[in-house]
Amino acid sequence: RDLVRSRGLGDVYKRQARHIYELKTGRRVVEVGLCKHPTIAHFAASPDGYYCDENKREKGVIEIKSVGTATYAKYFHKIKDNDTLLSTEPRYYYQIMSELMCVEAYWCDFIVYNPFEKPSMFIRRIYPDDNTFKKIAERICEADELINEIINS
């Protein structure tokens, strides 16, 4: 089980992780709700934070996972980039790709957090992948067409 479910402290740990991230990176992260995709109907995502610096033309999101010790160690050793995130935790890979698509961000900092570990967090930068974006868009549109067929029949 992950740390959030086993301790029931999801919001507390996310706040802690977001604060440590801001201190570590110097980025001010804003909490956001559901972010609708600009062109694909019925498609949205909710990253754990949003960062934008118009002067630097930098736009990113963060995704925080509060995990137990075993999972922390596994992720630390296995997840290094897009490919290793996809092979280790495909659900998080597609979650992050959806967030990048909906927010039109240039990167996502995948944050793994456990307040009992040293260090308590590590960050992996994940970048948009156009091929994955295309697959997600196709599947969303197929699902939307199916739903419309059911509703209209």
Side-chain angles (χ1 to χ4, degrees), residues 7-74:
R7 306 234 181 220
L9 297 169
D11 290 339
V12 172
Y13 287 157
K14 280 198 180 189
R15 272 195 308 278
Q16 288 175 358
R18 191 177 295 107
H19 179 70
I20 293 167
Y21 174 84
E22 289 179 336
L23 292 173
K24 193 172 190 171
T25 64
R27 292 187 178 94
R28 171 79 176 97
V29 175
V30 177
E31 289 185 62
V32 292
L34 194 64
C35 302
K36 292 182 180 180
H37 190 278
T39 60
I40 301 173
H42 309 114
F43 180 39
S46 54
D48 290 323
Y50 174 77
Y51 170 80
C52 183
D53 185 329
E54 292 181 9
N55 295 327
K56 292 181 182 177
R57 297 183 183 269
E58 185 178 14
K59 183 166 45 169
V61 294
I62 62 170
E63 184 57 41
I64 301 166
K65 298 301 177 191
S66 300
V67 298
T69 300
T71 303
Y72 185 95
K74 173 185 169 185

Side-chain angles (χ1 to χ4, degrees), residues 107-138:
W107 49 259
C108 173
D109 278 347
F110 178 65
I111 300 165
V112 179
Y113 180 69
N114 181 319
F116 307 106
E117 291 293 324
K118 296 280 187 240
S120 61
M121 93 167 24
F122 64 90
I123 303 163
R124 300 294 189 248
R125 176 74 43 107
I126 305 299
Y127 293 99
D129 180 84
D130 289 334
N131 290 330
T132 302
F133 283 9
K134 190 174 175 181
K135 289 177 190 173
I136 291 172
E138 287 170 359

